[in-house]
Amino acid sequence: QLQESGPGLVKPSQTLFLTCSVSGERLTTAPKYWGWIRQPPLKPLEWIGYIRYSGSTYYAPTLSSRTSITSDTSKNQFTLQLDSVTLEDTAVYYCAGSDGPVVTPDRFQYDAWGPGIQVTVSS
């Protein structure tokens, strides 16, 4: 089971931090991958990136310059950091888990999916 948490409102140019709390499975269990996906208003789902059970990461090229995903294994949580947010970063953000390296936002590729958290970028 996954649960996203973080601020619902962020100002432009600020850094967004979202945390996904994982229960029922350890982050470090092979071959788990833990990802972030988002859906802007009236737009399709967009894959952001993942962190592997070993701690290595991979990001969507369009977002890689300002994205970082880290994990806290003691809390069994992983965190999305998105720098220099703009209005276009307004979206519902989801965390998800899979048994392999998924690089698409296709929900059916994941075996666990959080309920989502609305993030609005506004001054």
Side-chain angles (χ1 to χ4, degrees), residues 6-53:
L9 180 64
V10 185
K11 294 183 178 180
S13 81
Q14 290 186 337
T15 295
L16 170 67
F17 290 95
L18 294 176
T19 295
C20 183
S21 298
V22 179
S23 59
E25 193 157 21
R26 300 298 304 173
L27 284 183
T28 53
T29 300
K32 298 301 294 188
Y33 288 71
W34 307 98
W36 286 96
I37 301 99
R38 69 182 183 180
Q39 186 166 27
L42 303 178
K43 293 184 178 181
L45 290 165
E46 179 183 18
W47 180 76
I48 299 172
Y50 66 62
I51 185 166
R52 193 170 175 237
Y53 63 92

Short mmCIF file of all heavy atoms in Angstrom, two decimals, residues 6-53:
data_model
loop_
_atom_site.label_atom_id
_atom_site.label_comp_id
_atom_site.label_asym_id
_atom_site.label_seq_id
_atom_site.Cartn_x
_atom_site.Cartn_y
_atom_site.Cartn_z
N GLY A 6 2.52 15.60 1.20
CA GLY A 6 3.27 16.79 0.85
C GLY A 6 2.36 17.99 0.78
O GLY A 6 1.17 17.91 1.10
N PRO A 7 2.91 19.13 0.35
CA PRO A 7 2.10 20.35 0.29
C PRO A 7 1.13 20.32 -0.88
O PRO A 7 1.44 19.79 -1.94
CB PRO A 7 3.15 21.44 0.09
CG PRO A 7 4.25 20.76 -0.64
CD PRO A 7 4.29 19.35 -0.10
N GLY A 8 -0.02 20.91 -0.66
CA GLY A 8 -0.98 20.99 -1.74
C GLY A 8 -0.79 22.23 -2.60
O GLY A 8 -1.29 22.28 -3.72
N LEU A 9 -0.04 23.18 -2.07
CA LEU A 9 0.16 24.44 -2.78
C LEU A 9 1.63 24.84 -2.69
O LEU A 9 2.23 24.84 -1.62
CB LEU A 9 -0.71 25.53 -2.15
CG LEU A 9 -0.63 26.93 -2.77
CD1 LEU A 9 -1.15 26.90 -4.21
CD2 LEU A 9 -1.43 27.92 -1.93
N VAL A 10 2.19 25.16 -3.85
CA VAL A 10 3.59 25.57 -3.94
C VAL A 10 3.66 26.81 -4.82
O VAL A 10 2.92 26.92 -5.81
CB VAL A 10 4.46 24.44 -4.55
CG1 VAL A 10 5.93 24.84 -4.53
CG2 VAL A 10 4.27 23.14 -3.80
N LYS A 11 4.56 27.72 -4.48
CA LYS A 11 4.71 28.93 -5.28
C LYS A 11 5.70 28.71 -6.42
O LYS A 11 6.61 27.88 -6.31
CB LYS A 11 5.19 30.08 -4.39
CG LYS A 11 4.17 30.50 -3.35
CD LYS A 11 4.66 31.69 -2.54
CE LYS A 11 3.60 32.13 -1.54
NZ LYS A 11 4.04 33.29 -0.74
N PRO A 12 5.52 29.41 -7.51
CA PRO A 12 6.46 29.30 -8.63
C PRO A 12 7.90 29.56 -8.18
O PRO A 12 8.14 30.41 -7.32
CB PRO A 12 5.97 30.37 -9.60
CG PRO A 12 4.53 30.52 -9.30
CD PRO A 12 4.39 30.33 -7.82
N SER A 13 8.82 28.82 -8.76
CA SER A 13 10.26 28.85 -8.52
C SER A 13 10.67 28.09 -7.26
O SER A 13 11.86 27.87 -7.04
CB SER A 13 10.79 30.29 -8.44
OG SER A 13 10.57 30.87 -7.18
N GLN A 14 9.71 27.67 -6.44
CA GLN A 14 10.06 26.90 -5.25
C GLN A 14 10.35 25.45 -5.60
O GLN A 14 10.14 25.00 -6.73
CB GLN A 14 8.93 26.98 -4.22
CG GLN A 14 8.79 28.34 -3.56
CD GLN A 14 7.78 28.35 -2.44
OE1 GLN A 14 6.87 27.51 -2.37
NE2 GLN A 14 7.91 29.32 -1.53
N THR A 15 10.83 24.71 -4.60
CA THR A 15 11.09 23.28 -4.76
C THR A 15 9.95 22.49 -4.12
O THR A 15 9.55 22.76 -2.99
CB THR A 15 12.42 22.89 -4.11
OG1 THR A 15 13.49 23.55 -4.80
CG2 THR A 15 12.64 21.38 -4.19
N LEU A 16 9.47 21.52 -4.87
CA LEU A 16 8.39 20.65 -4.40
C LEU A 16 9.00 19.37 -3.85
O LEU A 16 9.84 18.74 -4.50
CB LEU A 16 7.45 20.32 -5.55
CG LEU A 16 6.40 19.23 -5.29
CD1 LEU A 16 5.39 19.70 -4.24
CD2 LEU A 16 5.69 18.87 -6.59
N PHE A 17 8.55 18.99 -2.66
CA PHE A 17 8.94 17.71 -2.06
C PHE A 17 7.66 16.91 -1.80
O PHE A 17 6.75 17.38 -1.10
CB PHE A 17 9.67 17.92 -0.74
CG PHE A 17 11.05 18.50 -0.87
CD1 PHE A 17 11.24 19.87 -0.74
CD2 PHE A 17 12.14 17.70 -1.12
CE1 PHE A 17 12.50 20.43 -0.86
CE2 PHE A 17 13.42 18.24 -1.24
CZ PHE A 17 13.60 19.60 -1.11
N LEU A 18 7.60 15.73 -2.35
CA LEU A 18 6.50 14.80 -2.09
C LEU A 18 7.08 13.48 -1.58
O LEU A 18 8.08 13.00 -2.12
CB LEU A 18 5.69 14.54 -3.35
CG LEU A 18 4.91 15.72 -3.92
CD1 LEU A 18 4.25 15.32 -5.24
CD2 LEU A 18 3.87 16.21 -2.94
N THR A 19 6.43 12.92 -0.59
CA THR A 19 6.90 11.67 0.01
C THR A 19 5.87 10.58 -0.21
O THR A 19 4.66 10.83 -0.12
CB THR A 19 7.16 11.86 1.50
OG1 THR A 19 8.24 12.79 1.66
CG2 THR A 19 7.56 10.54 2.16
N CYS A 20 6.36 9.40 -0.49
CA CYS A 20 5.50 8.22 -0.62
C CYS A 20 5.86 7.24 0.49
O CYS A 20 7.00 6.79 0.59
CB CYS A 20 5.71 7.57 -1.98
SG CYS A 20 4.64 6.15 -2.27
N SER A 21 4.88 6.95 1.32
CA SER A 21 5.07 5.98 2.40
C SER A 21 4.59 4.62 1.93
O SER A 21 3.47 4.50 1.43
CB SER A 21 4.29 6.42 3.64
OG SER A 21 4.77 7.67 4.11
N VAL A 22 5.44 3.63 2.10
CA VAL A 22 5.16 2.29 1.61
C VAL A 22 4.91 1.36 2.79
O VAL A 22 5.69 1.34 3.74
CB VAL A 22 6.33 1.75 0.77
CG1 VAL A 22 6.03 0.34 0.28
CG2 VAL A 22 6.60 2.68 -0.41
N SER A 23 3.83 0.62 2.74
CA SER A 23 3.55 -0.37 3.77
C SER A 23 3.30 -1.72 3.10
O SER A 23 2.82 -1.79 1.97
CB SER A 23 2.34 0.04 4.61
OG SER A 23 1.20 0.19 3.80
N GLY A 24 3.66 -2.77 3.81
CA GLY A 24 3.43 -4.11 3.30
C GLY A 24 4.58 -4.69 2.50
O GLY A 24 4.56 -5.86 2.13
N GLU A 25 5.58 -3.85 2.21
CA GLU A 25 6.74 -4.32 1.46
C GLU A 25 7.91 -3.38 1.72
O GLU A 25 7.72 -2.18 1.86
CB GLU A 25 6.43 -4.35 -0.05
CG GLU A 25 7.44 -5.11 -0.86
CD GLU A 25 6.87 -5.59 -2.17
OE1 GLU A 25 5.85 -5.04 -2.64
OE2 GLU A 25 7.44 -6.54 -2.74
N ARG A 26 9.10 -3.92 1.76
CA ARG A 26 10.28 -3.11 1.99
C ARG A 26 10.76 -2.47 0.69
O ARG A 26 10.72 -3.10 -0.37
CB ARG A 26 11.42 -3.95 2.58
CG ARG A 26 11.10 -4.63 3.91
CD ARG A 26 10.80 -3.61 4.99
NE ARG A 26 11.90 -2.66 5.16
CZ ARG A 26 11.83 -1.59 5.95
NH1 ARG A 26 10.71 -1.32 6.61
NH2 ARG A 26 12.86 -0.78 6.08
N LEU A 27 11.20 -1.23 0.79
CA LEU A 27 11.72 -0.54 -0.38
C LEU A 27 12.88 -1.31 -1.01
O LEU A 27 13.08 -1.29 -2.22
CB LEU A 27 12.22 0.86 -0.01
CG LEU A 27 11.19 1.96 0.24
CD1 LEU A 27 11.93 3.25 0.53
CD2 LEU A 27 10.25 2.13 -0.93
N THR A 28 13.65 -1.98 -0.16
CA THR A 28 14.89 -2.60 -0.61
C THR A 28 14.71 -4.04 -1.10
O THR A 28 15.68 -4.73 -1.38
CB THR A 28 15.92 -2.59 0.54
OG1 THR A 28 15.32 -3.18 1.70
CG2 THR A 28 16.34 -1.16 0.86
N THR A 29 13.46 -4.47 -1.20
CA THR A 29 13.19 -5.83 -1.68
C THR A 29 13.40 -5.90 -3.19
O THR A 29 12.80 -5.14 -3.94
CB THR A 29 11.75 -6.25 -1.35
OG1 THR A 29 11.58 -6.21 0.07
CG2 THR A 29 11.45 -7.64 -1.88
N ALA A 30 14.27 -6.80 -3.61
CA ALA A 30 14.46 -7.00 -5.05
C ALA A 30 13.27 -7.76 -5.61
O ALA A 30 12.72 -8.65 -4.94
CB ALA A 30 15.76 -7.75 -5.30
N PRO A 31 12.87 -7.50 -6.84
CA PRO A 31 13.39 -6.51 -7.79
C PRO A 31 12.50 -5.26 -7.88
O PRO A 31 12.15 -4.82 -8.97
CB PRO A 31 13.35 -7.27 -9.09
CG PRO A 31 12.07 -8.08 -8.96
CD PRO A 31 11.90 -8.38 -7.49
N LYS A 32 12.12 -4.70 -6.71
CA LYS A 32 11.16 -3.60 -6.73
C LYS A 32 11.72 -2.29 -7.29
O LYS A 32 12.89 -1.95 -7.09
CB LYS A 32 10.65 -3.33 -5.31
CG LYS A 32 9.92 -4.49 -4.68
CD LYS A 32 8.70 -4.91 -5.48
CE LYS A 32 7.63 -3.86 -5.51
NZ LYS A 32 6.38 -4.39 -6.14
N TYR A 33 10.85 -1.61 -7.99
CA TYR A 33 11.10 -0.26 -8.48
C TYR A 33 9.97 0.63 -7.97
O TYR A 33 8.81 0.21 -7.95
CB TYR A 33 11.12 -0.21 -10.01
CG TYR A 33 12.35 -0.85 -10.62
CD1 TYR A 33 12.53 -2.22 -10.60
CD2 TYR A 33 13.34 -0.07 -11.22
CE1 TYR A 33 13.65 -2.80 -11.14
CE2 TYR A 33 14.47 -0.63 -11.77
CZ TYR A 33 14.62 -2.01 -11.73
OH TYR A 33 15.75 -2.58 -12.28
N TRP A 34 10.33 1.85 -7.58
CA TRP A 34 9.36 2.77 -7.00
C TRP A 34 9.35 4.07 -7.81
O TRP A 34 10.36 4.74 -7.93
CB TRP A 34 9.72 3.04 -5.54
CG TRP A 34 9.88 1.77 -4.75
CD1 TRP A 34 11.04 1.13 -4.45
CD2 TRP A 34 8.82 0.97 -4.23
NE1 TRP A 34 10.77 -0.02 -3.75
CE2 TRP A 34 9.42 -0.15 -3.59
CE3 TRP A 34 7.43 1.08 -4.20
CZ2 TRP A 34 8.67 -1.15 -2.96
CZ3 TRP A 34 6.69 0.09 -3.57
CH2 TRP A 34 7.32 -1.00 -2.96
N GLY A 35 8.19 4.37 -8.36
CA GLY A 35 8.14 5.47 -9.31
C GLY A 35 7.18 6.59 -8.95
O GLY A 35 6.38 6.46 -8.02
N TRP A 36 7.33 7.67 -9.70
CA TRP A 36 6.43 8.81 -9.60
C TRP A 36 5.84 9.10 -10.98
O TRP A 36 6.55 9.08 -12.00
CB TRP A 36 7.15 10.06 -9.09
CG TRP A 36 7.49 10.02 -7.63
CD1 TRP A 36 8.67 9.65 -7.07
CD2 TRP A 36 6.62 10.35 -6.55
NE1 TRP A 36 8.59 9.73 -5.69
CE2 TRP A 36 7.33 10.17 -5.35
CE3 TRP A 36 5.29 10.80 -6.47
CZ2 TRP A 36 6.77 10.40 -4.09
CZ3 TRP A 36 4.75 11.04 -5.22
CH2 TRP A 36 5.48 10.84 -4.04
N ILE A 37 4.56 9.38 -10.97
CA ILE A 37 3.80 9.70 -12.18
C ILE A 37 2.90 10.89 -11.83
O ILE A 37 2.50 11.04 -10.68
CB ILE A 37 2.92 8.50 -12.62
CG1 ILE A 37 3.79 7.27 -12.88
CG2 ILE A 37 2.08 8.84 -13.83
CD1 ILE A 37 3.83 6.27 -11.70
N ARG A 38 2.59 11.70 -12.82
CA ARG A 38 1.69 12.81 -12.55
C ARG A 38 0.69 12.99 -13.69
O ARG A 38 0.93 12.52 -14.80
CB ARG A 38 2.47 14.12 -12.34
CG ARG A 38 3.15 14.66 -13.59
CD ARG A 38 3.93 15.93 -13.26
NE ARG A 38 4.54 16.51 -14.45
CZ ARG A 38 5.27 17.61 -14.44
NH1 ARG A 38 5.49 18.27 -13.30
NH2 ARG A 38 5.78 18.08 -15.57
N GLN A 39 -0.40 13.69 -13.40
CA GLN A 39 -1.40 13.99 -14.41
C GLN A 39 -1.83 15.44 -14.28
O GLN A 39 -2.59 15.78 -13.35
CB GLN A 39 -2.61 13.06 -14.30
CG GLN A 39 -3.61 13.28 -15.43
CD GLN A 39 -4.61 12.17 -15.54
OE1 GLN A 39 -4.94 11.49 -14.57
NE2 GLN A 39 -5.11 11.95 -16.75
N PRO A 40 -1.36 16.30 -15.17
CA PRO A 40 -1.82 17.69 -15.18
C PRO A 40 -3.29 17.77 -15.59
O PRO A 40 -3.80 16.83 -16.21
CB PRO A 40 -0.92 18.37 -16.22
CG PRO A 40 0.24 17.44 -16.39
CD PRO A 40 -0.32 16.07 -16.16
N PRO A 41 -3.95 18.85 -15.28
CA PRO A 41 -5.36 18.99 -15.64
C PRO A 41 -5.59 18.84 -17.14
O PRO A 41 -4.88 19.46 -17.95
CB PRO A 41 -5.70 20.41 -15.18
CG PRO A 41 -4.67 20.75 -14.17
CD PRO A 41 -3.44 20.00 -14.54
N LEU A 42 -6.53 18.00 -17.49
CA LEU A 42 -6.94 17.79 -18.88
C LEU A 42 -5.82 17.23 -19.76
O LEU A 42 -5.87 17.35 -20.99
CB LEU A 42 -7.47 19.10 -19.47
CG LEU A 42 -8.64 19.74 -18.70
CD1 LEU A 42 -9.05 21.05 -19.37
CD2 LEU A 42 -9.82 18.79 -18.62
N LYS A 43 -4.81 16.65 -19.15
CA LYS A 43 -3.71 16.07 -19.90
C LYS A 43 -3.51 14.62 -19.49
O LYS A 43 -3.98 14.20 -18.43
CB LYS A 43 -2.42 16.87 -19.69
CG LYS A 43 -2.46 18.27 -20.27
CD LYS A 43 -1.11 18.96 -20.11
CE LYS A 43 -1.14 20.34 -20.72
NZ LYS A 43 0.18 21.02 -20.58
N PRO A 44 -2.81 13.84 -20.29
CA PRO A 44 -2.60 12.44 -19.93
C PRO A 44 -1.56 12.28 -18.82
O PRO A 44 -0.83 13.23 -18.48
CB PRO A 44 -2.09 11.81 -21.24
CG PRO A 44 -1.51 12.95 -22.00
CD PRO A 44 -2.31 14.15 -21.65
N LEU A 45 -1.49 11.08 -18.30
CA LEU A 45 -0.50 10.76 -17.30
C LEU A 45 0.91 10.94 -17.87
O LEU A 45 1.16 10.67 -19.04
CB LEU A 45 -0.67 9.32 -16.81
CG LEU A 45 -1.90 9.03 -15.96
CD1 LEU A 45 -2.14 7.52 -15.89
CD2 LEU A 45 -1.77 9.60 -14.57
N GLU A 46 1.83 11.38 -17.00
CA GLU A 46 3.22 11.61 -17.41
C GLU A 46 4.14 10.91 -16.42
O GLU A 46 4.05 11.10 -15.20
CB GLU A 46 3.52 13.11 -17.42
CG GLU A 46 4.95 13.45 -17.80
CD GLU A 46 5.24 14.94 -17.73
OE1 GLU A 46 4.47 15.68 -17.07
OE2 GLU A 46 6.24 15.38 -18.36
N TRP A 47 5.03 10.09 -16.95
CA TRP A 47 5.99 9.38 -16.10
C TRP A 47 7.12 10.33 -15.71
O TRP A 47 7.65 11.06 -16.56
CB TRP A 47 6.55 8.17 -16.85
CG TRP A 47 7.53 7.39 -16.05
CD1 TRP A 47 7.27 6.53 -15.03
CD2 TRP A 47 8.95 7.39 -16.21
NE1 TRP A 47 8.43 6.00 -14.55
CE2 TRP A 47 9.48 6.51 -15.25
CE3 TRP A 47 9.83 8.06 -17.07
CZ2 TRP A 47 10.85 6.27 -15.13
CZ3 TRP A 47 11.18 7.82 -16.95
CH2 TRP A 47 11.69 6.93 -15.98
N ILE A 48 7.50 10.33 -14.44
CA ILE A 48 8.52 11.25 -13.94
C ILE A 48 9.86 10.54 -13.72
O ILE A 48 10.92 11.03 -14.14
CB ILE A 48 8.07 11.89 -12.61
CG1 ILE A 48 6.77 12.70 -12.82
CG2 ILE A 48 9.17 12.77 -12.03
CD1 ILE A 48 6.15 13.20 -11.53
N GLY A 49 9.83 9.40 -13.05
CA GLY A 49 11.07 8.70 -12.77
C GLY A 49 10.87 7.60 -11.76
O GLY A 49 9.76 7.40 -11.25
N TYR A 50 11.94 6.85 -11.49
CA TYR A 50 11.87 5.80 -10.48
C TYR A 50 13.17 5.69 -9.71
O TYR A 50 14.23 6.18 -10.14
CB TYR A 50 11.51 4.44 -11.10
CG TYR A 50 12.53 3.82 -12.04
CD1 TYR A 50 13.82 3.47 -11.63
CD2 TYR A 50 12.18 3.55 -13.36
CE1 TYR A 50 14.73 2.90 -12.49
CE2 TYR A 50 13.09 2.96 -14.23
CZ TYR A 50 14.36 2.64 -13.79
OH TYR A 50 15.26 2.07 -14.66
N ILE A 51 13.06 5.03 -8.57
CA ILE A 51 14.22 4.64 -7.78
C ILE A 51 14.17 3.13 -7.62
O ILE A 51 13.12 2.56 -7.33
CB ILE A 51 14.29 5.37 -6.42
CG1 ILE A 51 15.59 5.02 -5.68
CG2 ILE A 51 13.06 5.10 -5.55
CD1 ILE A 51 15.90 5.96 -4.52
N ARG A 52 15.28 2.50 -7.85
CA ARG A 52 15.38 1.05 -7.79
C ARG A 52 15.59 0.60 -6.35
O ARG A 52 16.01 1.38 -5.50
CB ARG A 52 16.56 0.61 -8.64
CG ARG A 52 16.67 -0.85 -8.97
CD ARG A 52 17.74 -1.06 -10.02
NE ARG A 52 17.98 -2.47 -10.31
CZ ARG A 52 19.15 -3.06 -10.19
NH1 ARG A 52 20.20 -2.37 -9.78
NH2 ARG A 52 19.28 -4.33 -10.48
N TYR A 53 15.32 -0.67 -6.07
CA TYR A 53 15.49 -1.21 -4.72
C TYR A 53 16.92 -1.00 -4.21
O TYR A 53 17.16 -0.87 -3.02
CB TYR A 53 15.13 -2.70 -4.68
CG TYR A 53 16.00 -3.56 -5.53
CD1 TYR A 53 17.14 -4.18 -5.01
CD2 TYR A 53 15.71 -3.76 -6.87
CE1 TYR A 53 17.93 -4.98 -5.79
CE2 TYR A 53 16.51 -4.56 -7.67
CZ TYR A 53 17.62 -5.16 -7.12
OH TYR A 53 18.42 -5.94 -7.91
#
